[in-house]
Amino acid sequence: PLIPAPPHPPGGSLPVTQQHGYCCCAGAQEFQLLQPQGAVSVSAGETFTLNCSVTGLTPVGPVKWFKGSGSGRQLVYEEKGSFPRVTRAVRGSETDFTIRISDTRSEDAGIYHCVKFKKGLKTDEEFRSGAGTTVSVGARPSAPSVSGPPSRAVPGPPVTFTCTSGGFSPRDITVTWLKNGAKLPDPQTQVLPELQSISYNMSSTVGVSLTRGDARSQLTCQIEHSTLPAPLRVTYNLSDALRVPPRPRVDTDPAAPVTLNKPVTFTCCAEGFYPKDANLTWLENGSETNLGKPSPLAENPDGTYTLQSSLEVNATEQRNQSMFTCRVVHDSQPPISASAMLRLSQPPADSALLGPLGRAGRGRLRAGTVTLATLCAQGR
């Protein structure tokens, strides 16, 4: 503000500032750069505002925005140049240099300075800098994923499952594992990097002991984070990791011993296996025989499967004490077998005399190559 000049002092001359009838007030305001925000928090994808203003037009020179400080600082905005996500709040203003940054990303976190420059002989010189505004970006975790073991596992020993997610900030994150809605104990969660960063990744593992009834069970990885209105969840079907071997058994009808030359049916039942791909074959005394009569694949209430096949043979003398084996190949694993023996209820009349000679002796007897007297003479 200007005030009238005082009277001409006797015997002296007026100061230069008073020669035109006014002078500058002793308290005339100095240039100030105002950056009032100490900290700003924003969620990824949103727009945030950085406030900056100046109190005068001198010295002549531009106002720019930087992220960071020192020689490594990054130019965020100046009047010339292209900055696609940055705009002036008040276009054309000579005192208000507030900017808005849109589509916020995790890498936008940092300390921002509003800086006034003055024109120099060759280059602009930094004149005044704001105190700085710390911007923190809350980035939502990416959609989580769960991976299981590299190959199917049988019920019993614990199997490791891993849940991963990334690109979130700040570092605070909580991971919960559930099996069929029930919380699992002792998950191991790691957040990287361990030092301060603009973005973090998470990996969490849990051990689960599978059971025969887990073909319809589900495993859930649940992530809670300060930027999420509700937890993120991803579900893994334990059927993708489970292998339940079949339990084969062989029954006979009628039950042994059986009558000579009567039909007998062997039934193989491969029970409670998962997944459903299985193949069943019959063997007689170790050699493959016909495929029998398979029944349709049946699904059990717990999600496992049962496969059944029957084989009908005549109870001939030659088949007495023959071994009939049901062999099951499941999910490309080594075969699993179950067997039953065909036993005649009434052996042939000459079997007591033949004794250890067995079937071969009986055949020779019928062919005339050996006589009962000879057998007796030999003590047989």
Side-chain angles (χ1 to χ4, degrees):
L2 300 177
I3 57 176
H8 190 288
S13 60
L14 288 172
V16 173
T17 55
Q18 295 182 13
Q19 292 178 5
H20 298 284
Y22 59 88
C23 70
C24 291
C25 174
Q29 188 176 17
E30 295 181 357
F31 176 90
Q32 293 185 45
L33 186 148
L34 306 176
Q35 188 179 347
Q37 298 161 292
V40 171
S41 296
V42 61
S43 296
E46 297 180 348
T47 298
F48 66 96
T49 300
L50 296 174
N51 295 320
C52 176
S53 60
V54 297
T55 58
L57 303 181
T58 56
V60 176
V63 174
K64 304 179 184 181
W65 278 94
F66 294 89
K67 187 177 79 167
S69 58
S71 59
R73 65 184 179 180
Q74 174 188 348
L75 178 64
V76 174
Y77 181 81
E78 63 177 334
E79 198 62 36
K80 59 182 180 181
S82 175
F83 304 90
R85 294 190 296 124
V86 186
T87 57
R88 286 276 299 273
V90 183
R91 292 182 178 277
S93 175
E94 296 182 338
T95 57
D96 190 337
F97 294 91
T98 298
I99 60 172
R100 294 191 179 100
I101 300 179
S102 62
D103 188 23
T104 303
R105 304 163 186 176
S106 58
E107 58 266 28
D108 290 332
I111 301 176
Y112 290 75
H113 294 273
C114 180
V115 181
K116 169 68 177 179
F117 288 82
K118 66 178 180 179
K119 291 289 186 181
L121 294 177
K122 295 182 178 180
T123 60
D124 294 339
E125 301 174 0
E126 184 173 327
F127 176 70
R128 197 70 52 84
S129 175
T133 301
T134 300
V135 175
S136 58
V137 179
R140 296 185 179 184
S142 61
S145 62
V146 173
S147 60
S151 58
R152 292 183 180 272
V154 298
V159 178
T160 298
F161 294 86
T162 302
C163 178
T164 56
S165 180
F168 61 90
S169 183
R171 200 173 189 273
D172 60 305
I173 187 169
T174 301
V175 181
T176 304
W177 287 89
L178 305 102
K179 180 183 177 182
N180 297 330
K183 186 176 179 180
L184 294 174
D186 304 324
Q188 303 297 314
T189 301
Q190 186 178 31
V191 179
L192 296 175
E194 295 181 353
L195 301 177
Q196 184 69 27
S197 177
I198 59 175
S199 180
Y200 298 90
N201 297 321
M202 177 280 301
S203 177
S204 180
T205 60
V206 69
V208 180
S209 294
L210 302 179
T211 68
R212 298 185 69 91
D214 277 336
R216 290 180 176 166
S217 294
Q218 289 186 326
L219 194 64
T220 300
C221 173
Q222 176 177 288
I223 296 177
E224 296 175 84
H225 188 255
S226 58
T227 61
L228 298 172
L232 289 178
R233 293 183 179 90
V234 60
T235 299
Y236 183 96
N237 294 320
L238 288 181
S239 59
D240 293 338
L242 179 66
R243 178 189 295 116
V244 182
R247 295 173 293 182
R249 75 174 192 275
V250 176
D251 301 316
T252 59
D253 183 26
V258 297
T259 305
L260 180 65
N261 293 326
K262 295 294 184 181
V264 59
T265 300
F266 292 88
T267 301
C268 176
C269 185
E271 299 178 305
F273 58 87
Y274 191 91
K276 66 181 181 180
D277 52 318
N279 182 44
L280 188 154
T281 56
W282 284 99
L283 297 89
E284 181 177 355
N285 295 324
S287 299
E288 286 196 12
T289 182
N290 67 71
L291 298 178
K293 296 180 180 179
S295 299
L297 185 70
E299 186 175 5
N300 302 316
D302 63 357
T304 61
Y305 294 88
T306 294
L307 184 62
Q308 183 171 301
S309 178
S310 60
L311 178 68
E312 185 177 297
V313 299
N314 287 324
T316 63
E317 181 183 341
Q318 289 77 14
R319 279 186 165 133
N320 185 34
Q321 297 188 3
S322 289
M323 190 68 70
F324 288 85
T325 300
C326 169
R327 184 174 64 185
V328 183
V329 177
H330 173 244
D331 195 36
S332 301
Q333 299 301 297
I336 302 175
S337 301
S339 301
M341 181 180 288
L342 189 155
R343 295 195 305 273
L344 295 177
S345 59
Q346 295 180 349
D350 60 352
S351 62
L353 293 174
L354 296 177
L357 186 62
R359 295 175 185 170
R362 286 197 296 272
R364 291 165 59 196
L365 180 62
R366 293 189 184 94
T369 58
V370 65
T371 66
L372 287 174
T374 302
L375 291 173
C376 291
Q378 294 175 352
R380 298 184 179 179

